Amino acid sequence: MNLTQEQKDRVESILAQMTLEEKIGQVNLESPSIVGGFDVPFEELIEMMTDGRISQEEFGQIMATSTRDYHEDDIRAGRVGAMMGDDPVKANELQKIALEESRLGIPLLMGFDVIHGLRTVYPIAIAEAGSFDDDLFERTAHMAAEESRAHGITWNFAPMIDVARDSRWGRVSEGPGEDPRLGARFARAKIRGLQNDQSSKEKYVAACMKHYVAYGACESGRDYNTTMMSNSMLHNVYLQTFRAAVEEGAASAMASFNDLNGVPCTVNPYTLRTVLKDGYGMNGFVVSDANGIKECVTHGIARDDEDAGVQAMNAGLDMDMGTHIYKDYLRKAVEEGRVSMAVLDDAVRRILNVKMWLGLFENPYVPEESIAEYADRDVPQAHSDLALEAAEKSIVLLKNEESLLPLQPDTKISLVGSLADSRTEIIGAWAMSWQERDCVSIRQGLEKRGANVKYFACGGPEGDLNKEEIEEAAQWGDVIVAVLGELDSMSGEASSKADITLPGKQRKLLKKLLKTGKKVVLVLMNGRPLALGWEDENVPAILEGWHLGVRMGDAVAEVLLGEKVPEGKLSSSFPAVNGIEPLYYNHPSTGRPGSKSKFTSRYLDAPFAALYPFGYGLSYTTFSYSDLTVKEQKDCLEISVKVANTGEREGTETVQLYMQDVTASLVRPVKELKDYRKITLAAGAQETVQFTLPKQDMGFFNNDAQYVLEDGLFRIFAGGNSRDCLEAEICIAF
Ligand code: NOJ
């Protein structure tokens, strides 16, 4: 986020005119509360839901039926800096009040969660990351930026870039998976897509990278839980995505709910000031997560709300989401000298910088044409096409015995499972502004293509199985395609699960289907890696479809029917059974690596290795790897590997480069992804893929957060997934 000198001067001149109350207004983010219909403030309702006084359903009902409060009077008085919402007409109305009726005419930021698309929903991040396609990551983000602006949103609470290695955590769905390098490239591309096209004000928004930081490492995968880790792990893994996003110019960050080594990230001066602002030089601002400041009292790190507010502001938390603690207590804290004016000014300056950079002072309103573009119409064709491309590239073929897939033309397909007929569950967690008419179910996708298909619900993630339908399905088709998995509400926030096998009676359904003797293809629809050991042993073909967004049905149908060759890879390792999470390929080397022998790092009753590892995914063709060479140059290693398409169809492969620092002053991972490249090869064709690995990229952060390059032996690996690689060794003196 770069500002011109003139813009910086304007910010300073506004700051110089502001009263204390107006400054406090800028650090206050409001959401349309329900005061009016009910005599309970929004924050209190959140608390009631959190502590179980009301259920989530009751909360939803209250929200849906109550009168919203857009805080018009507060906006008029300069007591609001930002609002949440996705209604462009409302956004224009509120903006008009801020600009024309408040003393200094400072525009509002309008924030919203646009995690994987707004009106045009594309695949959830864990799926999209598996496309290993940086250009795609950027284009989908750019589409989200354009649609956001058209809906009055100028600030996206995205990208979610938490490295996550425990699939029990429901929020694995929202982020780019287990690997810091893939995550960092995803983060960079998302920031570029959201922020970089400044050709017109309608094309970019301020990104908000989240959740800062290490939220993905919450203990036992339980949401909002504590996080403990070494400084080295923090810097080598969990900070990498954020560092990349700052280098790309991320305009804001959201502090995470978790504590890190005992200090909640909301009030953590080390992560907020030392690392993010002073270390990485982030010039944007940091917002709390919803209710985050208040929760510091529950964490037991602050005596009361006021203490929490003082600690947060002093730690470098610039904006309060939803608690009114800054609004209610900062004046006193500043007047009594517990928060200095310089600290408050720094927060306000950062927020004003973002507003200035967004052009909100000159161009605050959503143009009427943009509003009309989406109102009562289908999504623009180009956006729908992009959602289809993203869905196609994110599908992962996990198993394909006897080349059961693609299905032969005219195969009679018994399509089974209620998810197959759903236009809503394909969307996935954290999508709020889509419309059903834009969505294509798997059933529709197959029918549109003239497939010989008949649908039998039989059962789904919830509820009972229908015996008669199962029998009919088995009788009718030549093959059964069973679409099973998770509802979209089973992943995302507050959706941790201890059991990550197929939910409900779906495994039972599979058993019954297999027992009929018909061939079964399992198509998965899910928001997290599932434990698929039983399915892998028993089902001949498995396609991972994730929650792929509005065009999911088209993409899955194309792959099933062979119009499209699958090319997606896994951004997260899949376990065989419950109980072996966290699970990730880049594990630190142990003294006794797991093996068949007893006294090694293993389980007595379960495999210790991934069933399907990071980077894994099959194609309708096959690829072979040979001739790995590693040459040392002055500042880099030049690495090449020959990849051949040994099958009968054209296919696209993600060639992956890994490294291991064999001996170092700290235990290093058994393998770490360094680079990847996608290539498309015709049947029988081959290509030598070249990588340049800068020596500067071969080091690591020690526990003093210093980046060190240590001489010694390195292993270089290349392959089509993190497990099956060619390897070479080289000694380096830096
Ligand atoms: C809580 C979530 O943790 C965060 O991701 C989201 O952006 C905020 N709520 C606002 O909706």
Side-chain angles (χ1 to χ4, degrees):
M1 189 186 64
N2 290 324
L3 279 88
T4 61
Q5 192 53 49
E6 193 200 328
Q7 288 175 320
K8 287 183 191 161
D9 293 345
R10 278 181 73 191
V11 166
E12 289 311 316
S13 123
I14 295 167
L15 194 56
Q17 296 169 56
M18 290 173 88
T19 62
L20 177 56
E21 190 180 23
E22 285 163 340
K23 288 178 184 174
I24 294 170
Q26 286 305 304
V27 297
N28 179 35
L29 164 63
E30 291 285 0
S31 55
S33 86
I34 58 148
V35 188
F38 296 80
D39 207 13
V40 187
F42 177 68
E43 294 73 28
E44 173 74 12
L45 263 180
I46 296 252
E47 255 184 46
M48 288 168 74
M49 186 180 59
T50 322
D51 64 23
R53 276 179 284 163
I54 55 170
S55 69
Q56 209 176 338
E57 287 68 41
E58 283 167 329
F59 176 80
Q61 250 167 27
I62 295 171
M63 290 298 286
T65 52
S66 63
T67 316
R68 297 202 142 208
D69 177 353
Y70 288 93
H71 302 274
E72 285 90 343
D73 287 341
D74 281 332
I75 296 173
R76 223 166 256 123
R79 287 195 291 262
V80 182
M83 274 302 288
M84 280 163 82
D86 63 339
D87 175 347
V89 176
K90 199 70 196 171
N92 278 352
E93 265 172 47
L94 299 179
Q95 204 65 285
K96 198 160 187 295
I97 298 176
L99 280 144
E100 294 180 10
E101 298 180 46
S102 76
R103 191 179 75 92
L104 292 173
I106 301 174
L108 296 165
L109 269 178
M110 299 296 299
F112 201 64
D113 288 283
V114 186
I115 312 302
H116 55 115
L118 186 72
R119 175 66 188 274
T120 311
V121 179
Y122 53 88
I124 53 173
I126 193 172
E128 195 195 14
S131 70
F132 281 74
D133 187 333
D134 300 19
D135 178 57
L136 177 73
F137 303 157
E138 185 172 336
R139 285 184 289 131
T140 48
H142 186 252
M143 172 171 80
E146 279 187 324
E147 291 193 359
S148 296
R149 276 281 175 140
H151 286 78
I153 301 159
T154 49
W155 179 32
N156 280 11
F157 300 144
M160 193 285 212
I161 47 176
D162 293 323
V163 171
R165 295 168 159 190
D166 191 328
S167 300
R168 291 172 296 182
W169 193 45
R171 306 199 78 168
V172 293
S173 62
E174 298 170 51
E178 74 189 34
D179 182 72
R181 179 55 54 101
L182 174 61
R185 282 176 55 170
F186 180 90
R188 282 183 189 281
K190 289 295 175 197
I191 300 296
R192 288 197 297 270
L194 290 171
Q195 295 195 165
N196 279 14
D197 180 1
Q198 293 167 22
S199 57
S200 95
K201 298 285 182 251
E202 278 74 53
K203 291 191 182 298
Y204 71 106
V205 292
C208 182
M209 55 179 184
K210 69 186 191 186
H211 306 84
Y212 188 76
V213 57
Y215 188 27
C218 53
E219 195 175 271
S220 40
R222 193 149 53 83
D223 215 355
Y224 316 113
N225 207 358
T226 186
T227 305
M228 288 276 177
M229 71 174 63
S230 69
N231 212 23
S232 155
M233 181 62 90
L234 177 68
H235 282 266
N236 286 309
V237 177
Y238 291 90
L239 277 166
Q240 282 305 309
T241 49
F242 292 96
R243 195 170 76 131
V246 174
E247 280 173 11
E248 215 61 58
S252 71
M254 187 184 294
S256 53
F257 287 125
N258 58 292
D259 77 281
L260 174 63
N261 301 330
V263 185
C265 292
T266 308
V267 292
N268 195 318
Y270 176 69
T271 54
L272 295 177
R273 281 215 195 279
T274 312
V275 177
L276 187 64
K277 292 180 174 175
D278 299 344
Y280 299 166
M282 191 220 188
N283 61 355
F285 69 91
V286 183
V287 63
S288 73
D289 202 336
N291 216 37
I293 301 182
K294 201 174 181 68
E295 286 167 23
C296 289
V297 180
T298 325
H299 270 295
I301 200 90
R303 280 185 310 278
D304 50 27
D305 288 358
E306 182 177 345
D307 185 26
V310 169
Q311 287 193 40
M313 182 48 80
N314 283 330
L317 195 282
D318 305 304
M319 189 185 275
D320 172 6
M321 186 193 286
T323 72
H324 288 170
I325 287 180
Y326 282 175
K327 188 174 168 215
D328 293 344
Y329 298 105
L330 263 185
R331 166 180 281 280
K332 194 162 150 252
V334 171
E335 284 169 355
E336 290 172 2
R338 278 172 297 124
V339 169
S340 71
M341 191 61 94
V343 164
L344 179 59
D345 280 352
D346 179 59
V348 176
R349 182 179 292 113
R350 288 168 181 275
I351 294 161
L352 292 179
N353 278 347
V354 172
K355 294 182 177 182
M356 192 61 76
W357 170 81
L358 279 167
L360 292 180
F361 286 87
E362 309 82 45
N363 200 341
Y365 302 114
V366 191
E368 292 301 323
E369 323 82 75
S370 300
I371 299 179
E373 175 91 33
Y374 292 93
D376 302 323
R377 294 216 205 137
D378 295 342
V379 294
Q381 192 58 44
H383 290 198
S384 180
D385 291 348
L386 181 56
L388 174 62
E389 179 191 339
E392 289 167 351
K393 289 179 168 174
S394 305
I395 293 175
V396 188
L397 180 61
L398 296 176
K399 186 178 175 194
N400 196 16
E401 226 169 60
E402 294 165 25
S403 300
L404 183 54
L405 291 177
L407 299 171
Q408 295 307 309
D410 300 327
T411 305
K412 280 174 84 179
I413 305 168
S414 287
L415 184 65
V416 164
S418 57
L419 290 175
D421 194 32
S422 173
R423 298 171 77 186
T424 54
E425 299 302 329
I426 59 177
I427 289 299
W430 277 116
M432 286 166 284
S433 307
W434 50 279
Q435 302 205 1
E436 196 170 330
R437 67 163 181 269
D438 300 321
C439 301
V440 182
S441 71
I442 294 181
R443 178 182 181 177
Q444 288 174 313
L446 286 165
E447 285 173 352
K448 257 164 77 176
R449 284 166 180 75
N452 193 357
V453 61
K454 195 161 171 194
Y455 168 68
F456 306 87
C458 299
E462 286 175 327
D464 263 331
L465 305 182
N466 183 323
K467 251 176 92 186
E468 287 92 72
E469 281 181 346
I470 296 173
E471 277 159 25
E472 284 170 40
Q475 264 166 25
W476 191 81
D478 304 323
V479 69
I480 296 170
V481 172
V483 181
L484 307 179
E486 299 184 311
L487 300 173
D488 67 357
S489 57
M490 291 175 174
S491 63
E493 189 178 351
S495 303
S496 295
K497 292 187 76 189
D499 179 354
I500 56 168
T501 57
L502 276 178
K505 298 190 173 153
Q506 295 180 104
R507 187 174 280 174
K508 205 164 160 198
L509 172 56
L510 263 184
K511 281 185 188 163
K512 287 190 185 300
L513 294 170
L514 287 161
K515 228 169 144 192
T516 66
K518 282 276 155 71
K519 291 269 188 222
V520 177
V521 175
L522 170 60
V523 175
L524 292 162
M525 199 187 278
N526 47 309
R528 59 159 58 72
L530 298 172
L532 294 175
W534 186 89
E535 288 73 14
D536 181 71
E537 260 173 45
N538 294 285
V539 185
I542 308 178
L543 199 64
E544 175 52 76
W546 303 108
H547 291 130
L548 292 179
V550 288
R551 299 293 302 275
M552 175 160 191
D554 286 312
V556 169
E558 286 175 351
V559 170
L560 288 173
L561 302 176
E563 290 168 23
K564 173 80 197 158
V565 179
E567 62 179 71
K569 301 277 188 174
L570 295 179
S571 62
S572 284
S573 302
F574 275 47
V577 292
N578 276 326
I580 66 168
E581 296 287 330
L583 179 71
Y584 52 102
Y585 81 95
N586 38 2
H587 194 277
S589 302
T590 64
R592 294 188 181 192
S595 75
K596 288 199 174 107
S597 343
K598 179 163 168 68
F599 294 99
T600 64
S601 184
R602 66 195 281 261
Y603 298 101
L604 286 179
D605 56 350
F608 61 86
L611 172 66
Y612 306 123
F614 173 84
Y616 172 86
L618 305 172
S619 168
Y620 290 155
T621 186
T622 44
F623 297 98
S624 79
Y625 285 70
S626 64
D627 302 315
L628 174 64
T629 65
V630 182
K631 280 197 203 115
E632 184 179 358
Q633 305 293 358
K634 188 164 168 285
D635 298 321
C636 67
L637 301 187
E638 278 177 0
I639 298 155
S640 71
V641 65
K642 205 181 270 176
V643 184
N645 181 343
T646 48
E648 278 150 27
R649 285 192 70 158
E650 183 183 274
T652 297
E653 170 72 327
T654 300
V655 184
Q656 300 158 43
L657 178 76
Y658 296 88
M659 183 200 91
Q660 182 191 14
D661 183 350
V662 181
T663 316
S665 56
L666 280 181
V667 172
R668 304 296 308 133
V670 292
K671 231 175 235 175
E672 18 180 352
L673 183 71
K674 286 290 164 188
D675 204 351
Y676 53 83
R677 183 149 320 139
K678 286 188 93 159
I679 55 168
T680 298
L681 291 177
Q686 61 176 39
E687 187 176 324
T688 299
V689 178
Q690 313 273 1
F691 291 103
T692 303
L693 177 62
K695 286 186 179 168
Q696 191 54 36
D697 193 17
M698 295 174 74
F700 62 91
F701 288 93
N702 62 21
N703 277 316
D704 297 323
Q706 283 162 342
Y707 189 74
V708 290
L709 291 165
E710 293 184 350
D711 297 351
L713 184 65
F714 289 83
R715 264 183 212 122
I716 302 294
F717 308 85
N721 66 65
S722 60
R723 181 184 58 203
D724 310 310
C725 293
L726 299 175
E727 71 181 75
E729 290 188 344
I730 188 162
C731 266
I732 303 289
F734 291 101

